[in-house]
Amino acid sequence: MSNATRVRSATIGYPRIGRNRELKDALEDFWSDDIDKRKLQDRCRELRHQRWTNQDEAGIDVIPSNDFSLYDHVLDTACMVGAVPERYGSIDDGVSLETYFAMARGSSGDDGVEALEMTKWFDTNYHYIVPELDPDQSFEYVSDKVRREFEEARDAGIETRPTLLGPVSFLQLAKPAPGTEFATLDLVDDLVDVYEDVLADLEEAGAESVQLEEPCLVLDQSDEAREVYRTAYETLGTSTELTTTLTTYFGELRENLELALDLPVDGLHLDLTRGDELEEAVEHLGDGQHLSLGLVDSRNVWRADLSALYQRLESATDVLGDDRVDVATSSSLMYVPIDVEREDELDDEVRSWLAFAEQKLDELDALATAANEGPSEARDAFDRATSARESRQQSRRVINDDVRERLDELDDEMAERDSDFATRRPKQADQLDLPTFPTTVIGSFPQRSEVRSKRAAYKRGDIDRDEYESFIASEIDRTLEAQEEMGLDMLVHGESERSDMVEYFGQQLSGFAFTNKGWVQSYGSRCVRPPIIYGDVERDEPMTVDWVTYADEQTDRPVKGILTGPITMLQWSFVRDDQPRAQTARQLALAIRDEVADLEEAGIPAIQVDEPAIREGLPLRESDWDDYLDWAVESFKLTTAVVDDETQVQTHMCYSDFADIIESVAALDADALFIEASRSDMELLQVFEEFEYPNDIGPGVYDIHSPRVPSAGNMFELLEKASDVVEREKLWVVPDCGLKTRNWDEVKPSLSRMVEAAERLREEYT
Ligand code: GLN
Ligand code: ZN
């Protein structure tokens, strides 16, 4: 593997969860005490072996080790360097599994601790554990997982390239421990010492190369931070005999490219699926350095255009020669499912367009083979890629003329309400007749296990449609009754017919496909199956009107409709790569707009369009934000502005800090905004001190992420805090998010108390 005189194929990382979600099963068995530590380790060893063998058999030359993780690779890195906060236990004898999982998930019992924070990994739907560092943090080489996994692979007959999250990105992804304030980058010298120990250990174990991942190089960096990269790698790069590949992904390096090319490492990996810095990198690559071309897209599910990728590969080998070029996946393949051939619910046509991790290995191999042995040796793979592309381009399932025509006819007015908020507000008040400080919820109510088992039975065909529907109707009845009992002012039908807020709608829209085994890791043992948007999106029939009108008929109080917004549909799906995201968003917007119109037509007085993912769609670079926000806001408005003044448009967002996009949130022009706030103790409200949010607002007062039942007093206090910065007439009383994951025993008292808090507020202030 080291003396290559040929183009090598390389994977940056491979899915951890296993073809049949073996990791999830093993973890859950362990957590529920069904298996012991040893058994867990056995099963994970088997899984790692299977992953390596897969790649080996596909002909991959450079296979990573240490890309596996029991929970998360950032957490692994924290354990490697001994960054384990004291409250999780001593690490004198290494990091125990108990300590590891306590950091990942918290622990219960008398000395129970909360988990470390978890947050989104760049612009993916994977979540990592955020390490906590002290100002006087000392690092130490504690967990030698990287060495153990390297040796394990070698024992299995596979030479691997160990991978490590690099020291600078590690520090940039970590945060100061609560109550402290300092720049985590200040800790770099100490940390680099530990990395030197790690590299020395790998060398001693017989490794020849190492991949150092520094994805933060695709982010905006200050001059000082760039200097930190420089000094860190001057030390690391020169002190080791290992062949080092500095690995970046998820974006262009832009102004950091020069820096990356300057660092004393042996090679550089670039994600070439986003932007194009190949030519520049080829031109400025240092003598003797190698370049790893991230050509095969690890973030999407489409078959590659192998001929086009091959041309780019050749443009590099022409200049650098074969022995200095690797052809690689753009980043780890953990962001795509494992094997499309096993998707028996996809039809042959759609399946032929797709490549999951295993198919992507074949693509890599085909590219390397073409480079080393001539394109004719990879003819089959290239032909297949071409026909997949052609079939996709021509398929009537991809291009829908009606949708195209509608898009051509879009005009700005379609995205504007008839009147401004001040005019709309009294008209809506007349229609809705709500008290001040109105109470409502975000949409879903607890999904009892009966709901899930009925849905499964219906899907299997064990019960018929009538039975399923009367069951859902009875769930709606129960939910409405409970809401009336708790005293809520605006009611919902409870979403019991929905498995998932994107899937439910996607399944009723054309242009969407669903897998049955296409799992990708969201965090730890949690996996999701993102839908695939392959074609123009259109809504044929109403999707929610029946259930919402049913609910509306059962009660005298106003019932609102709940829809998932276009940006969230887009963000949580694999999207087509043959048109801009903005265009797909507009198509989604038009489809949901039709639903909004039908709900209004059916007499529903308020419609909430959820956009929890709007913040996470922000591009990694700030200079790209405006463009995204423009089309995201436009899409939301296109979805909602179809209604008359009298109909109230609401929206909901959660999961993140909205401070930096608050102006765009206001630009959505929803009549009421319900936004997560209680988890951060209303920190969010600071934003509204500086920025006067123009329309109605409900900062969530009930933290639905916790099983705790909050007290009325506590929620009252949060609301008082809110009323310091938000006009009282505009304040709504709501939970942080939907209640789907909670149980009724928690929800009932919590919401009753929430209503009580609203009543106290009314007494006090009206
Ligand atoms: N309406 C959805 C629910 O209540 C919103 C979910 C979300 O914001 N993630 O479940
Ligand atoms: Zn939410």
Side-chain angles (χ1 to χ4, degrees):
M1 164 172 136
S2 60
N3 304 317
T5 53
R6 51 197 289 280
V7 170
R8 302 179 308 173
S9 54
T11 28
I12 301 304
Y14 200 68
R16 303 164 181 162
I17 49 170
R19 286 169 75 89
N20 300 305
R21 283 186 293 163
E22 289 88 342
L23 177 59
K24 178 189 175 66
D25 291 345
L27 286 172
E28 286 173 358
D29 286 350
F30 176 70
W31 293 334
S32 60
D33 278 335
D34 288 342
I35 59 171
D36 62 11
K37 255 181 230 181
R38 171 167 307 195
K39 189 81 194 144
L40 172 68
Q41 297 295 10
D42 286 349
R43 281 162 68 174
C44 290
R45 191 171 317 112
E46 224 168 276
L47 174 56
R48 286 192 291 268
H49 190 244
Q50 178 202 316
R51 297 163 67 248
W52 286 318
T53 317
N54 255 351
Q55 297 172 73
D56 193 41
E57 284 172 356
I60 303 305
D61 300 307
V62 184
I63 298 173
S65 55
N66 199 41
D67 58 330
F68 177 80
S69 175
L70 275 178
Y71 202 93
D72 166 53
H73 61 284
V74 183
L75 178 60
D76 293 345
T77 314
C79 294
M80 177 178 85
V81 302
V84 176
E86 235 162 70
R87 62 182 184 280
Y88 295 105
S90 154
I91 53 169
D92 292 345
D93 303 314
V95 183
S96 68
L97 269 186
E98 287 76 17
T99 297
Y100 182 83
F101 286 130
M103 287 195 277
R105 326 168 56 225
S107 62
S108 51
D110 288 346
D111 44 2
V113 279
E114 273 185 38
L116 288 170
E117 185 188 316
M118 186 167 71
T119 197
K120 268 174 69 77
W121 175 246
F122 296 84
D123 59 351
T124 72
N125 285 329
Y126 175 76
H127 302 75
Y128 76 95
I129 301 288
V130 185
E132 255 177 35
L133 304 176
D134 271 317
D136 55 358
Q137 180 80 42
S138 63
F139 297 108
E140 196 186 338
Y141 182 19
V142 174
S143 162
D144 63 350
K145 168 178 179 288
V146 60
R147 174 181 177 141
R148 279 184 279 122
E149 289 188 11
F150 169 77
E151 291 179 330
E152 187 183 302
R154 199 180 41 199
D155 290 347
I158 295 175
E159 281 301 316
T160 57
R161 174 170 71 184
T163 188
L164 292 171
L165 176 60
V168 191
S169 290
F170 174 78
L171 291 174
Q172 295 195 303
L173 294 164
K175 65 170 193 185
T180 70
E181 225 173 291
F182 71 102
T184 54
L185 282 183
D186 290 348
L187 302 170
V188 70
D189 291 341
D190 234 19
L191 184 63
V192 166
D193 285 348
V194 174
Y195 270 74
E196 285 191 272
D197 296 343
V198 177
L199 297 190
D201 197 30
L202 285 172
E203 239 175 90
E204 195 194 284
E208 290 181 353
S209 57
V210 66
Q211 167 170 277
L212 294 162
E213 302 180 38
E214 291 287 6
C216 289
L217 279 170
V218 310
L219 305 177
D220 298 322
Q221 294 289 358
S222 64
D223 288 343
E224 294 81 58
R226 269 192 286 272
E227 201 43 44
V228 173
Y229 278 94
R230 209 180 297 277
T231 47
Y233 278 87
E234 252 146 40
T235 311
L236 264 191
T238 48
S239 65
T240 178
E241 294 289 310
L242 296 171
T243 304
T244 48
T245 304
L246 182 78
T247 298
T248 65
Y249 40 77
F250 299 155
E252 294 181 321
L253 291 174
R254 300 189 190 172
E255 68 286 356
N256 301 330
L257 180 60
E258 203 186 313
L259 163 72
L261 284 162
D262 240 20
L263 298 178
V265 289
D266 302 307
L268 178 64
H269 170 85
L270 299 176
D271 181 339
L272 297 175
T273 60
R274 305 206 168 168
D276 192 356
E277 295 178 326
L278 180 54
E279 211 175 307
E280 209 180 331
V282 166
E283 193 180 327
H284 297 288
L285 195 71
D287 288 343
Q289 280 187 316
H290 65 264
L291 191 62
S292 167
L293 276 52
L295 288 170
V296 171
D297 193 348
S298 312
R299 297 283 305 276
N300 217 332
V301 290
W302 306 106
R303 257 184 202 288
D305 181 351
L306 287 179
S307 310
L309 297 188
Y310 184 62
Q311 274 183 14
R312 297 177 78 189
L313 177 57
E314 266 193 316
S315 75
T317 53
D318 280 352
V319 179
L320 299 172
D322 287 359
D323 55 342
R324 289 175 64 196
V325 174
D326 290 351
V327 57
T329 56
S330 59
S331 60
S332 167
L333 287 167
M334 64 184 275
Y335 312 106
V336 292
I338 297 185
D339 180 13
V340 75
E341 296 304 333
R342 299 198 312 159
E343 290 302 332
D344 34 34
E345 257 171 46
L346 289 177
D347 60 83
D348 291 344
E349 188 182 21
V350 170
R351 193 172 41 227
S352 76
W353 301 337
L354 301 173
F356 293 174
E358 289 193 3
Q359 288 70 43
K360 286 172 191 283
L361 294 179
D362 295 338
E363 294 180 336
L364 271 185
D365 185 49
L367 287 166
T369 304
N372 294 319
E373 294 162 36
S376 58
E377 294 305 310
R379 174 93 326 128
D380 280 359
F382 276 61
D383 285 351
R384 206 161 148 195
T386 308
S387 62
R389 253 171 68 79
E390 283 170 2
S391 134
R392 232 181 114 197
Q393 274 164 357
Q394 291 152 12
S395 172
R396 297 315 297 171
R397 294 166 68 190
V398 172
I399 301 155
N400 177 329
D401 292 331
D402 295 343
V403 174
R404 301 276 161 125
E405 217 167 282
R406 260 184 106 183
L407 280 172
D408 284 344
E409 283 161 13
L410 283 190
D411 65 57
D412 294 349
E413 246 165 66
M414 287 172 72
E416 296 300 331
R417 300 286 294 267
D418 297 339
S419 319
D420 58 14
F421 179 67
T423 314
R424 300 189 312 252
R425 198 166 194 279
K427 297 191 192 174
Q428 292 166 18
D430 273 355
Q431 158 137 312
L432 291 168
D433 194 25
L434 296 168
T436 47
F437 309 111
T439 56
T440 188
V441 291
I442 304 305
S444 60
F445 269 93
Q447 292 219 342
R448 300 182 305 130
S449 56
E450 287 93 319
V451 178
R452 284 192 296 269
S453 56
K454 280 279 183 207
R455 190 180 306 119
Y458 176 50
K459 234 178 130 182
R460 279 197 307 269
D462 292 352
I463 60 172
D464 64 13
R465 193 183 165 127
D466 279 353
E467 186 176 344
Y468 178 66
E469 292 193 341
S470 60
F471 173 76
I472 294 292
S474 68
E475 276 304 296
I476 293 177
D477 296 342
R478 288 166 58 108
T479 309
L480 291 169
E481 256 166 56
Q483 292 174 83
E484 288 185 344
E485 223 168 87
M486 295 180 289
L488 291 162
D489 300 308
M490 183 179 281
L491 311 191
V492 297
H493 76 293
E495 301 182 26
S496 60
E497 80 287 13
R498 304 182 189 176
S499 52
D500 171 276
M501 65 186 290
V502 173
E503 186 181 64
Y504 180 76
F505 292 96
Q507 276 169 341
Q508 301 183 71
L509 296 169
S510 61
F512 273 80
F514 291 84
T515 65
N516 51 356
K517 301 191 182 78
W519 299 100
V520 292
Q521 190 175 23
S522 169
Y523 61 88
S525 63
R526 267 282 291 189
C527 303
V528 293
R529 264 182 316 182
I532 297 166
I533 306 179
Y534 64 83
D536 290 343
V537 175
E538 192 176 31
R539 189 206 69 151
D540 301 323
E541 277 169 35
M543 304 182 282
T544 65
V545 176
D546 284 352
W547 288 129
V548 176
T549 44
Y550 171 80
D552 190 44
E553 284 156 11
Q554 314 306 311
T555 174
D556 295 332
R557 304 191 189 196
V559 171
K560 62 177 166 181
I562 311 264
L563 304 173
T564 302
I567 302 303
T568 300
M569 297 286 292
L570 186 80
Q571 268 314 112
W572 292 350
S573 303
F574 288 115
V575 299
R576 36 200 303 200
D577 58 351
D578 57 352
Q579 69 181 18
R581 287 173 84 79
Q583 193 71 347
T584 307
R586 274 181 209 111
Q587 293 185 356
L588 286 160
L590 285 176
I592 306 163
R593 176 185 172 96
D594 293 345
E595 186 72 12
V596 170
D598 282 347
L599 283 169
E600 176 179 59
E601 175 79 29
I604 302 302
I607 299 159
Q608 176 181 310
V609 177
D610 292 328
E611 283 291 21
I614 199 162
R615 169 73 176 72
E616 65 186 55
L618 275 181
L620 295 172
R621 297 290 191 131
E622 217 170 313
S623 55
D624 300 333
W625 284 15
D626 281 349
D627 176 55
Y628 162 76
L629 288 169
D630 278 353
W631 60 256
V633 169
E634 179 210 307
S635 297
F636 181 90
K637 289 169 72 182
L638 187 57
T639 305
T640 51
V642 63
V643 295
D644 291 334
D645 286 351
E646 287 74 11
T647 301
Q648 185 166 75
V649 171
Q650 308 182 341
T651 188
H652 160 70
M653 312 181 170
C654 51
Y655 295 133
S656 39
D657 174 1
F658 291 91
D660 34 14
I661 62 160
I662 192 63
E663 286 177 34
S664 300
V665 172
L668 299 176
D669 197 25
D671 297 298
L673 162 70
F674 306 139
I675 191 163
E676 174 178 334
S678 78
R679 244 200 301 192
S680 60
D681 203 25
M682 298 268 150
E683 234 171 66
L684 170 92
L685 293 174
Q686 282 171 8
V687 180
F688 297 108
E689 265 171 48
E690 279 142 48
F691 176 83
E692 197 181 327
Y693 184 78
N695 302 1
D696 280 12
I697 184 158
V701 291
Y702 159 25
D703 175 7
I704 64 93
H705 301 89
S706 155
R708 228 189 64 214
V709 175
S711 71
N714 174 253
M715 288 185 277
F716 177 76
E717 273 165 32
L718 293 178
L719 286 162
E720 281 210 302
K721 268 194 198 177
S723 68
D724 286 342
V725 291
V726 175
E727 275 172 67
R728 294 203 176 99
E729 298 68 49
K730 293 185 169 178
L731 196 57
W732 284 69
V733 179
V734 293
D736 263 339
C737 189
L739 304 163
K740 189 163 93 179
T741 55
R742 297 261 65 91
N743 32 41
W744 276 102
D745 294 348
E746 300 151 4
V747 162
K748 272 195 185 162
S750 300
L751 289 180
S752 302
R753 291 179 189 177
M754 188 185 86
V755 169
E756 203 182 310
E759 280 160 358
R760 272 179 63 186
L761 220 57
R762 281 171 210 148
E763 275 163 31
E764 205 103 341
Y765 295 110
T766 45

